[in-house]
Amino acid sequence: MEAVSKPLIIRIVFIFLIIPLFMNAQNDVNQAEVNSEEVVKYPEFQFKGLFQARFLGSLTDNVDVLGAHHSTGEVTQTSFDIKRMRVGLNTKLSKETEVVILVNLADFKSDTQGKVLENAYAKYTFNKYIALTGGQFRPAFGIEELVPVDIIKSFDFSNQYYEFGKNGWTSFQIGASATGSVDIGKMPISYAFSVLNGNGKNQEKDKDNGKQYLTRWVFELSKEHKINLGLNGGIGQVFTEDVFALGADITSDFKLTDRFTFDLQIEYKQGTNHNLYFSLPVDARTPNVADYQMRGIYFLPNLRYLVDYGKLSSLELSCRYESFDPSYKIDSNRRQTYTPMVSLEFGKAYLGRIEMGLEIDRFDKSIPDSSTYNDELFIIQLQLRL
């Protein structure tokens, strides 16, 4: 049987995306008539911001605050740092249309190429079943992609999040996405389909003609304990080489008492590390990109206690454990990271937050004079949401 042509595939995908719009068009018209008496002035503007400042202290001899080992010379082992200074604008042009802009001004402290601008996208919501997004955004491909960095239960995203971002699956990417939710029986299910350039944010054009296609499905297994199962998968081509990524994750949130809650995140990812493959000299790599695969898993338990004493609203204790190997088939060097942290929350929804803890890295093989070296980093972080 002859292979299906790309134009035919595009037409099929278009048909499947457009059908739900016609199926629900009449419902949208009826709803518009019901709400005709409601007067809303557009556009609506909502300004947002995030400030994160840190004190860093390396507890390992000859290792600086960025985790790099130095066998000779002076080493910076204590430093203050502005991690993020984000400013964002969400604009509602109509009930269905919104435009989102987000920049990180802290990126000006170093080379700004490929940085600063983070979100820059437009979204049109037809109904709960389908919404279309285009521009630069974080595609849905795991737990962390759907959670802002200011409300995660650790200092920062996981190592695997950033590595999969370098390979075009996570973090800020340029492309288009269709998202929505449906109910199958009594089970709510949300989905996302995305097509991306796959070469990161703020790029003038795609690095090649290949694109990366990914999808995420989330099944709500328990509404009471907020148990959700997520499944992720993606395929694509990079410089004519076939690449893939897959993952699975589960989240839960248990109310132990009126004041104590316990939530848990577990996420596994695996995929082609084509970023590593193409960064190597041709004579230093195998002919097959599939020989270079990354995989990782992390566990993030978090215990929350509602204080409600003065301006202090809650106390949280967490400890993320992560195991990540950027190339487990060839030249494997697994990195294990432990991140114990205590967090004090002031106000509601993490309006203010003070975090203190450690990042402890353990490699199977430490490499002198590199960032692949065992270290311990002490962190105090102040966070304010604007």
Side-chain angles (χ1 to χ4, degrees):
M1 182 180 294
E2 294 182 358
V4 181
S5 66
K6 287 187 178 180
L8 178 59
I9 294 176
I10 294 174
R11 293 190 186 99
I12 294 173
V13 172
F14 178 80
I15 291 172
F16 275 100
L17 287 177
I18 206 69
I19 285 176
L21 309 186
F22 290 106
M23 291 177 61
N24 294 281
Q26 187 60 46
N27 291 338
D28 289 347
V29 171
N30 294 339
Q31 187 64 37
E33 293 175 354
V34 172
N35 297 332
S36 60
E37 298 180 359
E38 299 180 7
V39 178
V40 179
K41 294 183 179 180
Y42 293 104
E44 291 183 331
F45 300 96
Q46 182 181 19
F47 292 92
K48 296 182 178 181
L50 171 66
F51 173 74
Q52 285 182 339
R54 291 177 161 189
F55 171 78
L56 306 173
S58 175
L59 305 180
T60 307
D61 292 340
N62 300 321
V63 176
D64 66 23
V65 293
L66 299 180
H69 175 260
H70 303 264
S71 57
T72 59
E74 295 185 359
V75 176
T76 301
Q77 292 195 283
T78 61
S79 179
F80 291 97
D81 175 52
I82 298 177
K83 180 67 174 177
R84 292 178 177 89
M85 182 61 250
R86 283 178 166 170
V87 179
L89 173 64
N90 290 22
T91 304
K92 293 278 290 187
L93 301 179
S94 67
K95 182 180 178 181
E96 302 83 7
T97 309
E98 63 179 312
V99 177
V100 177
I101 300 172
L102 179 67
V103 296
N104 182 18
L105 302 180
D107 282 338
F108 282 108
K109 66 189 177 185
S110 60
D111 183 6
T112 59
Q113 184 175 358
K115 298 180 181 180
V116 185
L117 182 63
E118 296 185 332
N119 278 330
Y121 66 84
K123 182 177 181 180
Y124 189 89
T125 302
F126 293 91
N127 45 53
K128 80 167 192 174
Y129 303 104
I130 184 168
L132 301 180
T133 301
Q136 182 169 288
F137 56 94
R138 290 203 294 160
F141 201 70
I143 301 171
E144 295 175 295
E145 288 71 55
L146 303 177
V147 178
V149 70
D150 43 319
I151 63 173
I152 61 174
K153 308 299 183 179
S154 195
F155 288 113
D156 206 343
F157 294 125
S158 64
N159 299 320
Q160 69 181 35
Y161 170 82
Y162 287 111
E163 199 65 32
F164 275 79
K166 294 176 184 177
N167 285 273
W169 304 107
T170 63
S171 192
F172 300 98
Q173 304 291 336
I174 301 175
S177 180
T179 58
S181 62
V182 296
D183 294 332
I184 298 183
K186 295 183 178 180
M187 179 183 293
I189 298 175
S190 61
Y191 73 88
F193 292 99
S194 304
V195 54
L196 310 171
N197 285 342
N199 58 323
K201 60 185 179 180
N202 304 334
Q203 302 298 318
E204 183 179 6
K205 60 183 177 62
D206 197 356
K207 59 184 178 296
D208 60 0
N209 288 319
K211 296 295 180 286
Q212 292 174 223
Y213 306 86
L214 53 150
T215 184
R216 173 171 172 81
W217 294 81
V218 180
F219 304 85
E220 186 179 292
L221 305 182
S222 172
K223 187 174 183 179
E224 178 184 1
H225 300 302
K226 299 180 181 178
I227 300 177
N228 295 320
L229 172 65
L231 301 176
N232 314 286
I235 58 173
Q237 278 199 336
V238 178
F239 296 119
T240 71
E241 297 285 352
D242 293 330
V243 299
F244 82 96
L246 55 85
D249 52 76
I250 190 165
T251 60
S252 61
D253 194 345
F254 295 89
K255 186 174 183 179
L256 305 179
T257 68
D258 290 339
R259 290 185 175 272
F260 277 104
T261 57
F262 175 78
D263 59 87
L264 176 65
Q265 299 177 10
I266 304 174
E267 182 166 15
Y268 172 84
K269 276 194 176 82
Q270 179 178 335
T272 312
N273 195 340
H274 52 268
N275 180 66
L276 171 62
Y277 177 80
F278 288 111
S279 69
L280 297 173
V282 175
D283 56 357
R285 70 191 190 200
T286 70
N288 191 355
V289 68
D291 293 334
Y292 296 83
Q293 291 189 29
M294 53 187 172
R295 65 179 178 186
I297 187 171
Y298 75 79
F299 301 84
L300 178 52
N302 182 75
L303 182 65
R304 178 182 176 89
Y305 176 70
L306 295 178
V307 178
D308 289 333
Y309 180 78
K311 295 183 179 180
L312 180 62
S313 54
S314 73
L315 171 68
E316 292 189 358
L317 298 173
S318 69
C319 183
R320 181 172 64 200
Y321 166 76
E322 180 180 7
S323 174
F324 180 75
D325 196 330
S327 180
Y328 71 89
K329 287 188 172 183
I330 295 178
D331 297 327
S332 172
N333 192 7
R334 184 180 55 148
R335 176 183 183 181
Q336 298 183 80
T337 304
Y338 305 83
T339 313
M341 186 186 80
V342 59
S343 172
L344 302 176
E345 178 189 2
F346 300 90
K348 296 182 178 180
Y350 294 137
L351 181 65
R353 201 176 182 192
I354 298 176
E355 305 156 323
M356 181 173 65
L358 298 169
E359 284 186 357
I360 304 169
D361 280 324
R362 292 293 180 266
F363 294 89
D364 288 346
K365 295 172 289 187
S366 282
I367 302 176
D369 295 310
S370 76
S371 296
T372 307
Y373 200 87
N374 293 344
D375 72 295
E376 299 87 24
L377 182 67
F378 173 71
I379 302 174
I380 298 177
Q381 180 167 284
L382 169 65
Q383 172 180 295
L384 298 172
R385 302 181 74 190
L386 313 179

